[in-house]
Amino acid sequence: MTNENSETIHHRICPFCEACCGLEITVAQGCVKRIRGHAADVFSHGFLCPKGVALKDLHEDPDRLRKPLIKRNGRFEEATWDEAFAEIERRLPPIIAKHGVDSVALTLGNPIVHKLALLLYAPRLGRALGSKNVFSASTLDQMPKHLSCGLMFGDFLSIPVPDIERTDFLLMLGANPMVSNGSLWTVPNFRDKAKALRARGGRLVVVDPRRTETADVADEHIFIRPGGDVFLLLGMVHTLFAEKLVHLGRLAKHVAGVEVLESAVACFAAEKVSGRCGVPAETIRTLARTLSAAKHAVVYGRVGTCTQEYGTLCSWLVDVLNILTGHFDEPGGAMFPKAAALQSNTLGNPGTGKGIVTGRRKSRVSGAPEVLGEFPMSCLAEEIQTPGEGQVKALITVASNPALSSPNGERLSTAMDQLEFMVSMDIYVNETSRHADVILPGTSPLEDSHYDVAFSQLSYRNHARYSHPVFPRAADRPEEWQMLLRLIGIIQGKGATADINQIDDELLMDDLRRTAGPFADMIFKAGSQRRGVERLLDLGLRTGPYGDQFGMKPDRLNLDKVEAAEGGIDLGALEPRVPEVLRTPSGKIELAPAMLIADLKRSAADLGRPMPELVIVGRRQLHGNNSWMHNLPVLAKGAARCIALVNPTDAARLGLEDGGRARIAHDGRSIEAEVEITDEMMPGVISLPHGWGHDQSGAQLEVAAANPGANMNALMDENRRDPLSGNAVLSGVEVEMRPVAARVLAGQAR
Ligand SMILES: Nc1nc2c(c(=O)[nH]1)N[C@H]1C(S)=C(S)[C@@H](COP(=O)(O)OP(=O)(O)OC[C@H]3O[C@@H](n4cnc5c(=O)[nH]c(N)nc54)[C@H](O)[C@@H]3O)O[C@H]1N2
Ligand SMILES: Nc1nc2c(c(=O)[nH]1)N[C@H]1C(S)=C(S)[C@@H](COP(=O)(O)OP(=O)(O)OC[C@H]3O[C@@H](n4cnc5c(=O)[nH]c(N)nc54)[C@H](O)[C@@H]3O)O[C@H]1N2
Ligand code: SF4
Ligand SMILES: [Mo]
């Protein structure tokens, strides 16, 4: 669209967080002039946050790499694409030939789910490589939820979300959507949705060791001891059984394991668990009663409930509560989205399936079980550093920054220097990619097309939205799916100059043979008009639950239609999907999976554990995104600073001053941060944002380096995980804290 000032208006879904807001981007003279929320977007209705505006800064960031880099004699030099792939071909295949495929590890980072090309093709790279050493941000984030949902519903990606627009009671644990804008729950403009909930007489209750921005807009905030959620949730489940408040409603005939669950929770009465979670027994009982009595209600737990040693139990119990109170798969409760394209639980036989398996392999050093085809990210350093058969010798990172995002980054950084070869697909020379031998920079989001394959599976409403590229790519620049195909060609032994279109065809045909059987050839031919991501997306839409079935249902969806719909296509409110959504072998919701029931023993044994005096939790900040947006000026001049929040009683006990600096230590490792004293923190808990620590040599992040902050993950233990999911423990870790004398500070070069 062009207006009278010869400005063009473009619509682009924001790729920065899970809210997936539709943006309106005004371009003049080849530059972004303005970014606003797209008012006519059917899903986000004009909402945006400060990060959305920063797309301009990202696009223009001089530190964002445009050309591949090859490290020669310890220094990065710009190279052509052909040179970069030739270097990879020279160095990677010999390592595979000598040490086997498992000697090459792959790390997959968070931006992959926000970029169509990476989302659809990084798994292809993983399959082509065939290494068991695959690690991703999922084990720093949401693996517990994948596992609990996989066990209960039969598919790792069958994750229910709150139907916020129709609920009367939302109980939220370990999430702060006022800042994060939601996670495993695509819900742009949480603020107005929460406001509307309260305006219609509903209640929002937030359980968090910090009185968060979300707690500030809630009816009630309840402090909880970090890591204590499993006990609170068990106390609630116990109350439901003890007070005969269980009513499964419509789902009664679709649920297995109620009795097993009832006896397994018998020892977790509210009075028993109260001390361990720091929530009064009466509050626990009242929460259970309110949940049961509400007409439409939903419990939701996120990062704070996953990044702890009982992450899988917490994730499970959240859904157990929804199910036991009749709020599961019901309007206003926890519901399953039905995405238009590529959602695994819309494939196969509705209502039954193979379920999930985990532990098909164990990691070499710690013996951690594989979950969803991965090992815990926190095992990567030991896999590199421990000699022996199967040792990791080479690493490919795709949009991941584990040097900052995963526990004990210092050890991992040392380990990365010990590799024989490392490739980073990344847009910056940062804390991780500085260790690489070759960096392949991805395109700016404004140069790609986009469709949220992952987040439409987690959305508060069903929808289909596609964005065209805002700017053309430079002629010599491959798209990210093309880079991944080049890597695949190298790994397959076809070489760096192999015909990637042919590889793409072969991979698609392999997929179709697996998923479409006798229709494979027909579908392949039907896709022949398009290539790459658009081809996969078009086929996904056409064969999906709203699809045109290649003309058999002509009024339904294909990519042409979604592309043409400015602002997207609304596919309606969430609808009940049980039993159709289930893929468990029993065809039922498994309320009491054996693995989880067995794990309750661990939490029972832990009820009397003495509580440390001081523990640390993380937080997110509106003006940043994990580790990688601190280089964008518009965000850097905002409020994001790496400050430790401390309760006044702790500050007094430790001699800390507001605005002063403190050293925070754990297990011999320490960092330094500014202190803010605030009663928003629970006594005994401090909060520090993650993703900081941009003072590492060799990174090229000029803006971020000016205000580097400290890396809280330097304190975390790489050996502490939820044993079921492999998720790292990033919350509730014991720390010591002491003031840093001003005099010392003055003489200190940081
Ligand atoms: N202590 C603590 N640690 C945490 C968390 C916490 O709450 N507390 N949260 C965890 C969570 S939830 C997550 S998801 C992880 C994230 O862990 P990671 O995914 O490892 O970390 P990010 O900071 O998101 O880094 C993303 C990387 O992708 C690169 N990148 C950005 N855009 C693109 C692109 O378009 N193409 C390519 N090729 N690369 C790109 C960035 O430069 C950066 O290197 O961190 C986890 N770490
Ligand atoms: N602006 C911004 N938005 C983001 C991101 C970002 O970095 N910045 N990151 C994105 C990513 S990758 C993700 S995964 C999502 C995450 O989105 P959310 O899940 O909403 O994550 P947080 O905002 O970190 O909120 C986690 C909350 O858990 C609390 N908490 C810590 N430990 C415990 C505990 O043991 N129990 C309980 N009940 N609470 C606890 C913390 O105090 C914090 O308030 O956000 C995404 N959106
Ligand atoms: S809320 Fe998330 S998706 Fe929306 S503009 Fe902000 S960063 Fe982008
Ligand atoms: Mo995340």
Side-chain angles (χ1 to χ4, degrees), residues 109-110 115 141 399 401 405 425-426 430 480 620 626-627 713:
N110 172 275
K115 283 204 135 187
D141 181 349
N401 191 8
S405 61
M425 281 186 70
D426 208 286
N430 66 10
E480 279 167 306
R620 287 180 156 70
N626 298 334
S627 74
N713 281 330

Side-chain angles (χ1 to χ4, degrees), residues 17-18 51 110 141 173-177 179-183 207-210 212 224-229 300 302-305 308 617-626 690 731:
C17 90
E18 299 181 42
K51 279 193 296 174
N110 172 275
D141 181 349
L173 304 101
N176 187 14
V179 169
S180 69
N181 283 297
S183 182
V207 179
D208 200 297
R210 175 176 161 243
T212 58
I224 186 164
R225 284 229 165 94
D229 303 76
Y300 164 77
R302 204 43 282 275
V303 158
T305 61
Q308 48 167 282
V617 300
R619 73 174 186 277
R620 287 180 156 70
Q621 297 173 297
L622 201 52
H623 292 254
N625 197 27
N626 298 334
H690 75 280
S731 187

